[in-house]
Amino acid sequence: MAQDRQSPGEGRADVPERVSGDEPLLAARVHRPSDLMRLLGGLLAIGLVLAVAAFAHFTTSGLEKDINAGAGGAPDLFVKIAGLVSSIAVLLVPVAFAIERLVKRDGLRIADGVLAAVLAHGVTLATDLWVAEAAPGAIRDALTQPQSGGGLTDPVHNYLAPVIAYMTAVGMARRPRWRVSLWAVLLLDAFTMLVAGYTTALSIVLTVLIGWTVAYGTLYAVGSPNVRPTGQTLLAGLRRVGFRPVTALRAEGVPDAVDSGDRGRRYIVTLEDGPPLDVTVVDREQQAHGFFYRAWRRISLRTITTRRSIVSLRQALEQEALLAYAAIAAGANAPKLIATSELGPDAVMLVYEHIGGRSLDALDDHEITDDLARSAWRQVKALQSRRIAHRRLTGDAILVDRSNRVVLTDLRGGEIAAGDLVLRMDVAQLLTTLGLRVGAERAVAAAVEVLGPDTVAACLPLLQPIALSRSTRATLRRLARERSAREREAVLEASAAAKRERELAKAEAAALADGTAVDDTAVRTAPGAAAAAGSKASAGAGAKAGTKAGAKAGAKAGAKAEKAEKKADKKAEKRALDTALDEAREEDLLAQIRQQVLLIRPQAPVEPVRLERIKPRTLVSLIAGAVAAYFLLSQIASTPLSTISQADWRWVAAAVLFSALSYVAAAMSLLGFVPERVGFWRTVVAQIAGSFVKIVAPAAVGGVALNTRFLQRSGVRPGLAVASVGASQLFGLGAHILLLLAFGYLTGTEKSRSFTPSRTVIAGLLTVAVLVLVVTAIPFMRKFVSTRLRSLFAGVVPRMLDVLQRPVKLLTGISGMLLLTGAFVLCLDASIRAFGHDSQSISYASVAVVFLAGNALGSAAPTPGGVGAVEGALIGGLVTVGHLPIEVATPAVLLYRLLTLWLPVLPGWLCFNWLTKREEL
């Protein structure tokens, strides 16, 4: 059927070299998002049933009484016959279906069903054990009832849940006759058990939900058999609608499915007579591609009409057909739809007239002329004249045929009767798409010529990344990284050039003082030459004066001259770096487009429209904050007030002093990695201001941003400020890990005569090692981690080399980090002692391990200040590692967090405002 030859569209870039009609490389199994959604829905329903059983005891007991009263009038003979028939049929019907599937060589589905049934049986046994041993009494009463011979009935039926899981996994629900027969048997079986008093209504509901949920969990985990239509199916479908196809060639290399993987598979079909056809096949698996992204966009974006995240194949077919006809009726160039048809229950096809040509992405930059850009804008104008939005005007959706006619393809995601906001988004998207290829000036000029300046200016508030497609956003991020790298290289080169010029000037000054010529040796030894010359001249002046006072005055004058020279060098370096940064700075494409539009319409609105309803980080923070608040409130409620009133206030005062000392240590740890001169006490004030920032941002983010801004305002170049903070963070991370390992080792050996660590420490180290190996072994995880670390610590190594040349600075940084850890450990220890606990039962090493582990967890938590995560980690660590009673660990941790997180908020806010008014933040 499929042959390795080109279609009549020979010469097109999108015709693949390797084609196949039978799709031999299709994945045997696929993981359907719909299965995952049903799994999550089943888990939610199970939780709801258990909640009803636990909190609606009177309702469930009343329901059981009503059922028992109604069942009492049923004839005993009928109940026995129905029970016998249902017991046999509930096993016979699945077996009969399995035989039918095996006869039709569909044994893979039967294997999936058997696996789901086995797992469902295990889940029911675990549920029965939990209800009997550990569940609350209300749940046990709702799911069981006493038997006449003593004991209780089973909470979940061990044979019914596996049958339901089996029938769901094998797909019996998609075959009407089998579905009706099986559900009739299941309902009859449930009725007989209820009448006979062998179960309860909630027990039956829970059994059905467990079987249903386990089935979809199994299908999502192992994958469902791929039911995509093959090339033979496509050709048979074309024959059914009146065509006589000869070959079907798969266009493998056409659009990248990064943001619209549901566009379908494209084929070029040749006919016995007549021109070739472009056929698009859409199946359920491709339709589900990008489901979670579309669902998130629908939730997170406001005032934008998006198509439903889940639509049937029939709806998708009708949507694309409607848009194809509407686009042509509007006068736009679009592929002409000539036939549609279903390819079985799981796929549809759309048949278009063949269009030869290349996509905009396949064209070289010099081939995209101004006439071509204007032609693209004319197609958009035609669509917008009938309120049609394309919604995806990227380069692979714009086709250029052999006569340079622009054709808009991929209309499936568009909208009819679109609103103004969506139409303006189309203009912003095409401006960006063309701007990436021909530049902002030409893209804006073509748009203004076709659409007019007012229409183009109206899209400026929509010219923001969130309003663009995923592929366009990815391209803009890549260009931003490249632009930042070029700016950083330019600044480093300018810094090195300025340094060489200063060294040469110092060497010339030293040579003039000694009366010698300047050579390479003088340039290499220049850093101290000028100072030596100045000192020598001053000393000579003092000697000529013949008095000690003259020599002293000359030395002081030389010191002042040296200080003034250093200050002048620093100003000269700053001016050179400013100049280099201004020359190397490049504006991003969106800013360039705005400038071009503002040149035409200076009064155009530029304030971005707020499109995001909620950001991912905000959502995670809200969820984590709710969990943290619940945890803290429960811990505080369980702490007796008498425990707090009996605190030793001397140790509380000591904890306050250690908490205050941490800000001095934090300033030392930062300044140790800043070779430039920055005021120490101003840095301490900045660290106090960081206490306020930690409350409004995650701990790992707020402090870094504040310190970077503070160093920039203190005269440190932006790139060097980022590098200094990155060096401090990198060194702090290494010190944190080493201290955690060292104190963990000491904790494991403190109760043993031999210097051997505990098994817990060894297990923890092995776990960390295994996680590191897993991350480094999986390519995409390794790339993700390396990219993040590279971006976080870019420029750190050169900065570390600068610091290593100043041992005093390096010693200050190391001392500050050790003092910072020690201050926090002593603050936590003093908080523990404040509540009267015996100081001999928990060592400083154990307190240090608990603090280091809790602090690491707090830095990773998405909540501001690590609220909730730190408290839970510290309390759990003190109970498990330090063997403290919960009555002591809870108030101690709450006191520690009060002193280190909550009380410094007001002083931090005052310091933040003070530094802001002085323009130091």
Side-chain angles (χ1 to χ4, degrees):
M1 180 204 62
Q3 303 174 9
D4 289 334
R5 63 183 180 83
Q6 284 193 332
S7 71
E10 187 172 355
R12 297 192 306 120
D14 58 349
V15 175
E17 296 179 357
R18 180 175 60 83
V19 293
S20 174
D22 281 327
E23 303 291 330
L25 298 180
L26 286 178
R29 288 180 171 270
V30 291
H31 301 276
R32 297 176 177 173
S34 57
D35 292 338
L36 178 59
M37 296 303 296
R38 292 187 177 99
L39 168 63
L40 297 177
L43 293 175
L44 181 62
I46 290 174
L48 182 61
V49 169
L50 294 177
V52 170
F55 300 107
H57 176 69
F58 294 105
T59 302
T60 56
S61 61
L63 178 63
E64 293 302 325
K65 291 180 181 178
D66 294 339
I67 292 175
N68 292 332
D76 187 59
L77 179 62
F78 170 75
V79 173
K80 290 181 179 180
I81 294 176
L84 178 62
V85 172
S86 63
S87 299
I88 297 174
V90 81
L91 300 176
L92 186 61
V93 172
V95 172
F97 181 80
I99 294 173
E100 184 206 26
R101 289 291 94 195
L102 291 175
V103 169
K104 294 184 178 181
R105 297 182 179 181
D106 194 11
L108 199 58
R109 289 184 183 273
I110 304 303
D112 294 341
V114 172
L115 177 60
V118 172
L119 293 176
H121 184 68
V123 172
T124 56
L125 291 178
T127 305
D128 286 345
L129 181 62
W130 172 72
V131 172
E133 301 293 337
I139 294 179
R140 188 181 303 112
D141 295 339
L143 298 178
T144 61
Q145 59 181 6
Q147 291 181 326
S148 58
L152 299 174
T153 59
D154 292 334
V156 182
H157 302 285
N158 295 331
Y159 73 91
L160 192 58
V163 170
I164 295 173
Y166 169 85
M167 90 164 188
T168 305
V170 299
M172 291 180 68
R174 292 195 294 268
R175 290 168 173 81
R177 288 181 297 176
W178 288 101
R179 180 176 66 242
V180 171
S181 61
L182 185 57
W183 277 111
V185 170
L186 291 177
L187 291 175
L188 182 62
D189 185 70
F191 170 75
T192 55
M193 287 190 297
L194 278 174
V195 172
Y198 293 144
T199 187
T200 65
L202 282 182
S203 176
I204 292 177
V205 174
L206 185 61
T207 300
V208 173
L209 288 175
I210 287 177
W212 191 72
T213 304
V214 171
Y216 283 113
T218 304
L219 290 177
Y220 186 75
V222 303
S224 302
N226 199 336
V227 294
R228 285 186 176 183
T230 63
Q232 294 286 356
T233 308
L234 171 63
L235 294 181
L238 288 171
R239 294 187 186 100
R240 283 196 302 270
V241 293
F243 296 102
R244 290 185 291 177
V246 178
T247 60
L249 307 181
R250 172 74 187 276
E252 302 255 356
V254 270
D256 180 16
V258 71
D259 56 336
S260 188
D262 61 342
R263 284 176 291 165
R265 291 173 289 151
R266 288 178 52 188
Y267 293 85
I268 302 170
V269 178
T270 57
L271 304 177
E272 292 181 4
D273 53 350
L277 304 173
D278 288 336
V279 181
T280 300
V281 176
V282 180
D283 55 50
R284 295 189 186 278
E285 309 312 325
Q286 289 172 316
Q287 190 184 28
H289 185 90
F291 163 77
F292 293 109
Y293 171 74
R294 294 195 301 271
W296 170 249
R297 293 274 292 185
R298 190 175 183 86
I299 294 172
S300 61
L301 296 185
R302 62 172 70 199
T303 65
I304 297 179
T305 304
T306 58
R307 65 186 180 91
R308 290 167 50 188
S309 300
I310 300 178
V311 295
S312 66
L313 286 173
R314 169 64 64 178
Q315 290 171 328
L317 183 69
E318 294 172 351
Q319 172 80 0
E320 182 159 358
L322 175 62
L323 283 163
Y325 294 139
I328 293 175
N333 297 330
K336 184 178 180 181
L337 182 67
I338 57 178
T340 60
S341 177
E342 292 185 350
L343 297 177
D346 298 311
V348 295
M349 71 173 180
L350 299 101
V351 183
Y352 294 93
E353 286 185 350
H354 178 67
I355 300 176
R358 293 180 293 170
S359 67
L360 192 69
D361 286 343
L363 297 177
D364 294 331
D365 289 345
H366 69 274
E367 295 181 273
I368 306 176
T369 63
D370 292 339
D371 289 338
L372 186 64
R374 286 191 291 269
S375 180
W377 282 113
R378 281 192 286 270
Q379 305 312 309
V380 174
K381 182 179 181 180
L383 291 180
Q384 298 203 350
S385 67
R386 300 294 179 87
R387 312 294 296 181
I388 301 173
H390 189 284
R391 297 301 305 271
R392 200 184 162 277
L393 289 169
T394 56
D396 55 8
I398 301 173
L399 195 68
V400 182
D401 65 10
R402 297 181 183 89
S403 60
N404 276 344
R405 186 174 66 110
V406 173
V407 181
L408 300 181
T409 63
D410 295 329
L411 290 163
R412 184 174 305 129
E415 290 185 19
I416 303 293
D420 290 336
L421 191 66
V422 179
L423 296 177
R424 290 156 60 194
M425 287 177 64
D426 267 1
V427 177
Q429 174 64 60
L430 188 55
L431 274 174
T432 308
T433 299
L434 291 175
L436 289 171
R437 301 301 308 275
V438 302
E441 183 177 357
R442 291 177 58 191
V444 172
V448 170
E449 184 174 345
V450 175
L451 300 181
D454 294 333
T455 303
V456 177
C459 81
L460 287 188
L462 278 304
L463 202 63
Q464 48 184 307
I466 192 63
L468 306 176
S469 66
R470 290 179 72 183
S471 58
T472 305
R473 294 201 303 270
T475 303
L476 292 175
R477 286 194 297 268
R478 176 179 58 80
L479 294 177
R481 290 193 297 268
E482 295 174 357
R483 186 169 59 250
S484 298
R486 290 194 298 269
E487 291 177 359
R488 184 166 57 251
E489 290 175 0
V491 169
L492 292 176
E493 290 177 2
S495 176
K499 188 175 181 180
R500 288 193 299 269
E501 291 178 0
R502 290 195 305 273
E503 290 176 353
L504 181 61
K506 291 179 182 179
E508 291 177 351
L512 290 175
D514 293 339
T516 60
V518 179
D519 56 12
D520 293 340
T521 304
V523 173
R524 288 194 299 270
T525 59
S535 300
K536 184 174 181 180
S538 300
K544 290 178 182 179
T547 63
K548 186 180 294 186
K552 187 175 181 180
K556 184 179 293 186
K560 289 183 178 179
E562 182 179 359
K563 187 175 181 180
E565 184 179 4
K566 288 182 178 180
K567 189 174 182 180
D569 288 344
K570 186 177 294 186
K571 289 183 178 180
E573 180 181 7
K574 186 177 180 181
R575 285 195 301 270
L577 293 179
D578 286 336
T579 303
L581 185 59
D582 292 338
E583 293 176 353
R585 183 175 286 114
E586 304 175 24
E587 289 186 336
D588 67 296
L589 177 64
L590 300 184
Q592 295 176 25
I593 293 175
R594 292 190 193 96
Q595 288 183 358
Q596 293 298 323
V597 175
L598 290 175
L599 291 176
I600 301 170
R601 280 289 185 269
Q603 71 277 13
V606 294
E607 186 68 23
V609 174
R610 184 180 177 184
L611 299 176
E612 284 186 296
R613 182 181 290 115
I614 186 171
K615 296 182 179 180
R617 176 172 292 176
T618 304
L619 181 62
V620 173
S621 298
L622 288 175
I623 296 174
V627 174
Y630 173 79
F631 172 80
L632 288 178
L633 291 176
S634 61
Q635 293 295 330
I636 293 173
S638 62
T639 303
L641 294 176
S642 58
T643 304
I644 300 176
S645 62
Q646 295 173 2
D648 189 341
W649 295 104
R650 292 173 299 177
W651 283 111
V652 173
V656 172
L657 292 178
F658 290 131
S659 176
L661 181 62
S662 65
Y663 296 102
V664 177
M668 294 173 58
S669 64
L670 176 63
L671 294 180
F673 298 92
V674 183
E676 293 81 6
R677 182 177 179 81
V678 180
F680 178 76
W681 292 111
R682 286 191 298 114
T683 308
V684 174
V685 174
Q687 303 313 301
I688 299 174
S691 301
F692 168 70
V693 177
K694 283 194 301 183
I695 295 299
V696 297
V701 177
V704 171
L706 184 137
N707 286 329
T708 303
R709 180 69 173 173
F710 171 73
L711 292 179
Q712 292 177 8
R713 288 294 189 177
S714 299
V716 182
R717 292 300 311 146
L720 299 179
V722 173
S724 294
V725 176
S728 176
Q729 293 288 317
L730 180 61
F731 198 93
L733 176 64
H736 194 101
I737 294 174
L738 292 177
L739 288 173
L740 182 59
L741 295 177
F743 284 117
Y745 192 94
L746 293 176
T747 302
T749 60
E750 62 185 7
K751 295 184 180 180
S752 174
R753 294 183 178 180
S754 61
F755 204 68
T756 304
S758 66
R759 295 181 179 180
T760 303
V761 175
I762 294 177
L765 295 178
L766 290 177
T767 302
V768 173
V770 169
L771 291 176
V772 171
L773 290 176
V774 169
V775 170
T776 55
I778 301 176
F780 80 91
M781 295 184 65
R782 181 172 63 247
K783 182 179 179 180
F784 175 80
V785 173
S786 62
T787 303
R788 289 300 179 91
L789 291 177
R790 192 183 302 115
S791 62
L792 180 61
F793 300 116
V796 168
V797 174
R799 199 61 166 167
M800 289 293 295
L801 295 177
D802 292 340
V803 174
L804 290 175
Q805 296 177 3
R806 304 189 179 189
V808 176
K809 282 284 187 180
L810 183 62
L811 181 61
T812 300
I814 296 174
S815 302
M817 289 180 179
L818 296 178
L819 181 60
L820 181 63
T821 302
F824 281 127
V825 170
L826 291 175
C827 181
L828 179 58
D829 181 74
S831 300
I832 296 171
R833 297 170 188 264
F835 292 93
H837 190 70
D838 185 7
S839 61
Q840 300 299 322
S841 62
I842 182 169
S843 64
Y844 286 110
S846 298
V847 177
V849 168
V850 171
F851 161 74
L852 292 169
N855 189 57
L857 183 60
S859 299
T863 56
V867 175
V870 174
E871 287 82 355
L874 293 180
I875 293 174
L878 291 177
V879 173
T880 56
V881 177
H883 304 289
L884 287 179
I886 190 69
E887 295 80 8
V888 174
T890 298
V893 169
L894 294 179
L895 174 62
Y896 166 77
R897 293 289 282 171
L898 179 68
L899 297 178
T900 58
L901 179 66
W902 298 109
L903 283 184
V905 170
L906 180 58
W909 177 73
L910 295 175
C911 293
F912 185 87
N913 287 334
W914 183 74
L915 290 174
T916 303
K917 290 179 180 179
R918 292 173 58 91
E919 296 185 353
E920 295 182 2
L921 271 185

